[in-house]
Each structure stands twice: as structure tokens, then as C-alpha cells.
């Protein structure tokens, strides 16, 4: 692995264990991680440090972090080929983040739409971590000299800021960081809530039926799709403006089955929404069945999971510390 890894371009991505993994995260990000993992040297993390920008129950955070690792593996990420680790286990992220804070402008962070959304939702806890979160994310990416960052559309602005920070730093000190590119899928980059199809499907709406999680049981998945909000028309047609619910279901069905929107429109031309919702639900059930079954087995094997995240952190720290040393030298810190 070591020799070929040296030649390959790098990928870094991560997910916050602030809730259970959703179908949105799977189709927007993890699916591509799996597809890209042969071609790139990949680093995939559980972003636990990002999760605490919003209050978490400690025991839940710990449980979800380990379950998330099991789900990464169950989704097809081979720990022998991919470096999987827990963000807080690699201290270089936090260390680089401090340095990059000093090369990021208040105005830039104020313009981040996710900060505006999250501070509106957490009005009683608009903490500094929520504000500087994109700098930690930039550090996650830059510390591995990542070439590519596979994410859903909602993270594009953060990757763009990462590029700006890296360019600014390189401009002052000479080439230090690789400038990363976002990798956003054409279909599935923004899966919407099944209950409020004008909003993104997110971990935070697990209770209202708008969100499907990777570990949901078949009956719960079918129920969520049968109850999915659509419109008063009966025609299965892609039109995000007038038919956001149906268009969202078409996106989900399209990414899973590889069928084009036109093929889907033809397939359901003379059938009602009921048939279509059932077909989408069944496709999701079959997609997630092996993930859930495999995750259940992996979660029971704590020693194995521990070996994966420990080895992952060791490999990750080796790469990350190299960048950190270079950065410390560039800014003028005395070597240890
Ligand atoms: P997070 O944890 O909110 O989401 C994880 C990933 O899933 C994607 N995603 C979606 N894609 C399509 N439709 C949806 N409804 C949907 N919901 C989530 C997200 O775009 C993301 O790719 N800041 C990141 C975590 C992070 C990170 C990083 C990512 C921390 N450091 C470094 C990349 C590189 C976040 O909050 O993602």
C-alpha cells in the first residue's frame, strides 16, 4: 500500500457523528468515496470535533462515532485500502486550525451560509467554534494535501473557502498546500427532506419522517417513502420548481438504479404516485439492507473496530504531521 499510495492523488472527507448517517450523506458523499477509493489514496474521518459545535450527549457521541466507522466499512470502504480515523485522534487538525485561523478573515466566516443557518437554529449557543468551524474543515483537508474532496453540495462553499485560505498562505510563504477541488456528484448532491422537499434531508429531522437513516429497518423506510410529501398532480416528471417532492424521489431512484430521469418518466408514465413511491422505497430498502446487516456484525466486534481506528490514526498522523512541521517552519516557529 505504501508505495502505490505515494504515487496516488489524495482524498480527504468526513462526516460529523452528530446524528445517525442519512441517505443524503450516503448518496451525496459516501457512495462516491467508495467509487473513488481504488484510484486515490483516501482519508475518511469521523468528524467528532466538528460535532461538538452543537451540544452533544457524550455517550451518544461516542456510540455514534464508532457506529459511523462500522457503517463506513459496511458501505464498502475497505480499511486496508482506506485510512479511516477519528478526527480527535490526530492532533495536527486542531494545531493547523489555530495557525489557519490567523489567515482567515472575520468577513469570510461571516458569509458562510451554514453558519448563518446554524446560528439561526441554535440561537442560545452561537459559540466561537460554530463560527470558526470552516477553518477546522480547511485544516482537515489541507493537512493531508488533499487533491479532491468528495462532498454534497452544501459543503461546496466550505471547500471554496479552503482554497482561498490555501492560496493566501501559499501567496505569503510559497507553495505549502495543495489546492483541493470539490467533487460533487451530478445527481444526489442535494437530497431533500421527504416531508419538506424544499429543505435538505438532514440528521436533525430524524423524528418527523423526513429523513431516512442507513440503519433504518425496511418497514420504517417503506413507511417514510409512502408518506413522502408530493403534489396534487399525478404525473411522474422531473421539475424541481413545481414538483420538488417527486423530483427528489426521482433523484434518489436515479442514483440507485442508474436510470435517467427520462427512463423513469417512461417507466411510470401511466402509473400513479403510489406505485412510484413503493418502487423508490424498495430500491432504498435493497440498497441499505446489506449495510445494516454488516454494520450490526461489525458493531459487535469492538476489538476489530478499535484496530481499524488506531491503525488509521497512526497512518493519518504520519501524513498530517509532515504538513504541520512544514507550516510551523514557514511561519517562523522554532523547531523542537
Ligand atoms: P455533514 O456531516 O453535515 O455531512 C456529511 C456529508 O454528507 C453530505 N450530505 C448530503 N449530500 C446530499 N444530500 C443531503 N441531504 C446531504 N446531507 C449531507 C454533506 O455534503 C457531506 O459531504 N463539514 C462537514 C464534515 C467535514 C468535512 C471535513 C467534509 C468536516 N471536515 C473535511 C469534507 C472535508 C459536514 O458537516 O458534513
Amino acid at each position: 500500500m505504501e508505495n502505490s499510495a505515494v504515487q496516488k492523488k489524495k482524498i480527504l472527507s468526513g462526516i460529523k457523528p452528530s446524528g445517525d448517517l442519512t441517505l443524503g450523506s450516503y448518496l451525496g458523499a459516501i457512495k462516491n468515496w467508495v467509487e473513488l477509493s481504488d484510484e486515490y489514496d483516501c482519508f475518511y474521518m469521523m468528524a467528532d470535533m466538528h460535532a461538538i459545535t452543537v451540544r452533544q450527549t457524550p455517550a451518544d457521541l461516542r456510540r455514534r462515532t464508532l457506529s459511523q466507522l462500522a457503517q463506513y466499512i459496511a458501505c464498502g470502504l475497505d480499511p486496508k485500502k482506506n485510512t479511516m480515523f477519528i478526527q480527535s485522534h490526530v492532533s495536527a487538525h486542531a494545531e493547523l486550525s489555530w495557525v489557519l485561523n490567523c489567515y482567515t478573515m472575520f468577513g469570510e466566516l461571516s458569509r458562510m451560509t451554514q453558519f448563518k443557518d446554524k446560528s439561526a437554529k441554535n440561537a442560545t449557543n452561537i459559540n466561537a467554534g460554530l463560527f470558526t468551524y470552516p477553518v477546522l474543515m480547511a485544516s482537515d483537508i489541507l493537512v493531508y494535501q488533499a487533491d479532491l474532496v468528495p462532498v454534497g453540495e452544501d459543503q461546496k462553499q466550505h471547500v471554496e473557502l479552503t482554497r482561498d485560505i490555501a492560496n493566501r498562505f501559499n501567496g505569503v510563504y510559497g507553495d505549502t498546500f495543495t489546492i483541493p477541488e470539490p467533487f460533487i456528484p451530478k445527481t444526489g448532491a442535494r437530497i431533500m427532506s421527504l416531508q419538506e422537499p424544499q429543505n435538505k434531508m438532514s440528521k436533525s429531522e430524524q423524528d418527523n419522517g423526513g429523513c431516512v437513516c442507513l440503519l433504518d429497518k425496511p418497514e420504517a423506510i417503506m413507511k417514510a417513502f409512502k408518506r413522502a410529501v408530493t403534489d396534487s398532480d399525478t404525473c411522474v416528471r422531473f421539475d424541481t420548481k413545481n414538483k420538488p417532492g417527486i423530483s427528489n424521489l426521482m433523484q434518489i431512484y436515479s442514483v440507485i438504479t442508474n436510470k435517467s430521469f427520462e427512463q423513469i418518466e417512461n417507466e411510470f408514465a401511466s402509473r400513479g404516485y403510489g406505485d412510484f413511491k413503493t418502487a423508490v422505497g424498495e430500491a432504498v430498502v435493497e440498497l441499505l439492507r446489506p449495510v445494516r446487516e454488516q454494520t450490526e456484525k461489525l458493531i459487535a466486534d469492538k476489538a476489530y473496530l478499535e484496530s481499524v481506528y488506531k491503525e488509521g490514526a497512526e497512518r493519518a498522523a504520519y501524513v498530517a504531521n509532515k504538513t504541520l512541521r512544514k507550516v510551523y517552519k514557514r511561519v517562523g516557529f522554532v523547531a523542537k
Side-chain angles (χ1 to χ4, degrees):
M1 177 176 172
E2 279 294 309
N3 274 342
S4 60
V6 175
Q7 316 294 332
K8 285 180 178 173
K9 288 193 166 191
K10 294 204 199 82
I11 278 183
L12 174 287
S13 200
I15 300 181
K16 296 188 301 276
S18 50
D20 295 324
L21 287 181
T22 69
L23 183 65
S25 309
Y26 179 80
L27 298 179
I30 303 175
K31 184 171 181 288
N32 290 312
W33 300 2
V34 177
E35 281 164 18
L36 293 162
S37 72
D38 278 331
E39 209 183 318
Y40 289 82
D41 183 14
C42 301
F43 295 82
Y44 295 125
M45 61 171 189
M46 277 57 73
D48 55 348
M49 291 166 73
H50 283 266
I52 63 162
T53 52
V54 173
R55 289 280 176 271
Q56 303 292 329
T57 305
D60 288 345
L61 180 60
R62 230 181 318 271
R63 178 186 50 77
R64 281 196 303 256
T65 303
L66 293 176
S67 169
Q68 194 168 305
L69 173 61
Q71 289 173 75
Y72 282 4
I73 302 170
C75 286
L77 291 172
D78 179 351
K80 294 213 171 67
K81 284 202 269 173
N82 301 277
T83 302
M84 285 181 264
F85 63 100
I86 299 172
Q87 185 185 26
S88 62
H89 290 186
V90 182
S91 58
H93 293 238
E95 292 178 72
L96 180 60
S97 186
W98 174 253
V99 176
L100 295 185
N101 264 316
C102 304
Y103 297 83
T104 309
M105 300 304 135
F106 183 88
E108 286 176 312
L109 293 175
S110 312
R111 286 192 289 277
M112 294 294 113
T113 49
Q114 203 167 65
F115 171 69
K116 290 188 217 164
D117 289 352
K118 293 220 161 160
S119 41
K121 279 187 197 145
N122 298 286
T124 54
N125 184 23
I126 307 177
N127 60 71
L130 198 61
F131 188 65
T132 60
Y133 164 118
V135 185
L136 180 58
M137 179 159 160
S139 307
D140 300 335
I141 297 167
L142 299 177
V143 86
Y144 296 98
Q145 307 286 358
D147 297 277
L148 205 64
V149 186
V151 283
E153 201 181 65
D154 61 320
Q155 295 300 319
K156 188 170 175 222
Q157 196 185 31
H158 291 159
V159 181
E160 278 162 2
L161 176 68
T162 302
R163 291 167 58 88
D164 291 343
I165 299 171
N167 276 319
R168 182 172 301 137
F169 194 96
N170 287 354
V172 178
Y173 299 104
D175 268 0
T176 308
F177 295 121
T178 302
I179 308 298
E181 292 283 342
F183 182 96
I184 295 165
K186 285 202 179 71
T187 311
R190 198 171 175 79
I191 301 297
M192 310 310 269
S193 157
L194 300 182
Q195 284 303 309
E196 293 166 13
Q198 62 285 0
N199 297 330
K200 189 185 83 159
M201 178 183 284
S202 86
K203 304 168 186 132
S204 53
E205 41 140 38
Q206 243 155 278
D207 298 331
N208 72 356
C211 167
V212 168
C213 293
L214 301 199
L215 301 184
D216 282 351
K217 297 255 161 50
E219 311 78 68
I221 298 173
M222 289 309 294
K223 190 171 163 203
F225 279 97
K226 284 188 177 149
R227 288 183 51 225
V229 168
T230 49
D231 51 64
S232 53
D233 193 12
T234 50
C235 173
V236 174
R237 183 167 49 82
F238 193 76
D239 174 353
T240 46
K241 190 158 171 269
N242 299 306
K243 300 165 77 69
I246 284 293
S247 303
N248 186 38
L249 296 179
M250 286 179 74
Q251 294 236 22
I252 295 171
Y253 195 62
S254 167
V255 201
I256 298 176
T257 61
N258 275 324
K259 290 178 185 164
S260 66
F261 293 146
E262 202 188 341
Q263 281 172 314
I264 299 171
E265 284 170 2
N266 291 336
E267 186 179 343
F268 293 94
S270 51
R271 296 156 69 183
Y273 282 176
D275 268 10
F276 180 50
K277 287 178 173 182
T278 303
V280 183
E282 282 169 355
V284 173
V285 165
E286 289 321 313
L287 174 80
L288 299 183
R289 188 190 303 281
V291 175
R292 180 171 47 84
E293 289 172 355
Q294 174 75 356
T295 301
E296 280 166 8
K297 285 189 203 138
L298 287 164
I299 284 179
D301 193 349
K302 294 234 160 22
Y304 172 68
L305 288 180
E306 189 178 320
S307 72
V308 171
Y309 70 68
K310 283 200 167 156
E311 222 172 274
E314 217 171 282
R315 286 209 296 258
Y318 177 79
V319 178
N321 286 333
K322 253 201 239 178
T323 303
L324 190 67
R325 281 197 296 276
K326 192 166 160 189
V327 168
Y328 277 8
K329 192 169 172 194
R330 296 260 153 122
V331 298
F333 292 169
V334 174
K336 276 198 255 185

